[in-house]
Amino acid sequence: MMSNKKYTLITGASGGIGMELAKIMAEKGHSLVLAARSEASLNNLKNEILNSYNIDVLVLIADLSKPHSASMLFLEIENRGIEIEILVNNAGFGDFGHFYTSSLEKQLEMMQLNMNSLTELTRLFLPKMVENRYGKILNVASVAAFQPGPLMSVYFATKAYVLHFSEAIANELRDFGVSVTVLCPGPTKTNFDKAAEVGDSPMFKGKLPSAAEVALFGYKKMMKGKVVAIHGFKNKMMVFSGRLAPRKIVTAITRKFMEKK
Ligand SMILES: NC(=O)c1ccc[n+]([C@@H]2O[C@H](COP(=O)([O-])OP(=O)(O)OC[C@H]3O[C@@H](n4cnc5c(N)ncnc54)[C@H](OP(=O)(O)O)[C@@H]3O)[C@@H](O)[C@H]2O)c1
């Protein structure tokens, strides 16, 4: 029987940063609800975790790029009597290319996943956290959140939304025992670059941090209740220098980093 137990919900737990977050949180003793589309990967992860740790793990299949899917996921969790004390909005994807030739359907699905579902889940799980005077939310944005991103315009804009939204509600919630952390990774070794077809961009060249490294950084910052968590010294410097330069220049430099040779 799983009721009255506190759980962590991780979206996009079937791979990359989300999967590593799940492993870290399992090790720390958090019971988990793992959500994504890939049932087999989630079940493999569940079995791997259950072999090593004495926690509960529930797998829920959800395509969060579809309208109402986040509310359906919330209801499924509620109906099982599961209480979410930590919400990790990690699922997301990008899409490389000129906006004017992009698939509109894909951009809208991206906006639904990266922004709407994240907002919906946050709104739906928050009241209980506020009532309990305890809760944590980890929203995964990106260093893309800090400037416009030519050739990945919608993706960068969705992450700017996640950053601003998270900072604003972190401020609103600070007197209610609920912390909101927005993790901003730079390019990281996951399936993201393949899915976004951005792997050949200069941005993804060189030695990239592993998903496990980024996940551990995010977990620690979330547990400390830090609001904005930018991973890596180089990324922090890039964000800082971007604040000082004119926006037009920042946008032009970002394009250089995105443009495939
Ligand atoms: N890797 C990077 O360079 C990087 C940099 C900055 C920020 N980020 C952010 O980090 C987060 C995690 O990405 P990642 O790098 O770990 O990439 P990843 O390896 O591609 O993992 C993405 C995760 O999101 C899930 N997902 C994708 N579409 C979904 C949908 N429609 N419904 C539900 N889940 C969905 C995937 O699961 P299924 O396919 O099974 O649904 C997968 O578990 C994203 O928000 C991304 O924007 C990544």
Side-chain angles (χ1 to χ4, degrees):
M1 184 65 190
M2 295 203 270
S3 60
N4 297 327
K5 271 196 145 174
K6 314 277 188 187
Y7 281 70
T8 294
L9 167 61
I10 304 178
T11 68
S14 62
I17 297 167
M19 180 183 271
E20 297 304 326
L21 271 164
K23 290 179 190 169
I24 292 164
M25 295 199 68
E27 192 193 337
K28 303 285 182 195
H30 301 270
S31 283
L32 301 172
V33 180
L34 307 174
R37 292 167 305 178
S38 311
E39 192 166 3
S41 305
L42 289 178
N43 281 325
N44 286 342
L45 175 62
K46 174 181 168 170
N47 293 334
E48 189 188 322
I49 288 174
L50 292 181
N51 279 337
S52 308
Y53 308 109
N54 186 23
I55 58 162
D56 289 327
V57 181
L58 174 67
V59 162
L60 292 177
I61 306 308
D63 182 348
L64 294 168
S65 70
K66 302 286 176 247
H68 313 301
S69 56
S71 299
M72 276 158 57
L73 180 61
F74 169 77
L75 284 179
E76 219 172 318
I77 291 170
E78 274 242 307
N79 288 341
R80 290 170 192 254
I82 288 176
E83 208 176 302
I84 299 300
E85 66 171 356
I86 302 182
L87 167 63
V88 180
N89 282 307
N90 161 77
F93 72 87
D95 187 32
F96 181 86
H98 276 275
F99 176 66
Y100 84 101
T101 54
S102 65
S103 152
L104 178 55
E105 195 185 345
K106 196 168 180 186
Q107 309 312 305
L108 295 177
E109 284 183 357
M110 191 201 305
M111 291 164 74
Q112 185 71 37
L113 176 66
N114 296 8
M115 299 191 296
N116 296 16
S117 287
L118 174 146
T119 308
E120 236 173 296
L121 290 174
T122 303
R123 176 63 184 83
L124 292 167
F125 285 112
L126 255 179
K128 194 74 193 167
M129 294 182 188
V130 170
E131 190 189 311
N132 292 340
R133 289 293 190 270
Y134 183 79
K136 294 195 173 300
I137 296 174
L138 178 64
N139 287 335
V140 182
S142 165
V143 288
F146 294 92
Q147 66 281 301
L151 301 178
M152 253 182 134
S153 56
V154 175
Y155 176 73
F156 275 59
T158 65
K159 294 303 183 180
Y161 171 85
V162 175
L163 174 67
H164 285 204
F165 168 66
S166 304
E167 286 185 273
I169 59 167
N171 174 283
E172 286 181 20
L173 290 162
R174 69 181 173 200
D175 299 330
F176 298 99
V178 179
S179 69
V180 181
T181 300
V182 55
L183 171 62
C184 301
T188 306
K189 230 182 292 159
T190 68
N191 202 40
F192 173 86
D193 57 323
K194 238 181 262 136
E197 293 177 28
V198 71
D200 296 334
S201 292
M203 197 79 115
F204 279 83
K205 297 284 179 246
K207 194 178 176 307
L208 303 182
S210 68
E213 237 173 278
V214 172
L216 183 60
F217 172 81
Y219 175 75
K220 284 183 180 163
K221 296 295 174 185
M222 172 183 74
M223 294 315 283
K224 279 190 189 147
K226 176 107 169 57
V227 180
V228 180
I230 302 167
H231 179 258
F233 179 72
K234 246 168 58 188
N235 293 323
K236 279 193 194 97
M237 284 298 106
M238 195 191 75
V239 166
F240 182 69
S241 56
R243 275 197 212 134
L244 306 174
R247 289 183 68 81
K248 211 166 142 182
I249 306 270
V250 172
T251 308
I253 292 172
T254 309
R255 175 162 182 159
K256 288 276 175 238
F257 275 110
M258 301 302 299
E259 222 154 31
K260 298 176 185 175
K261 297 285 174 257

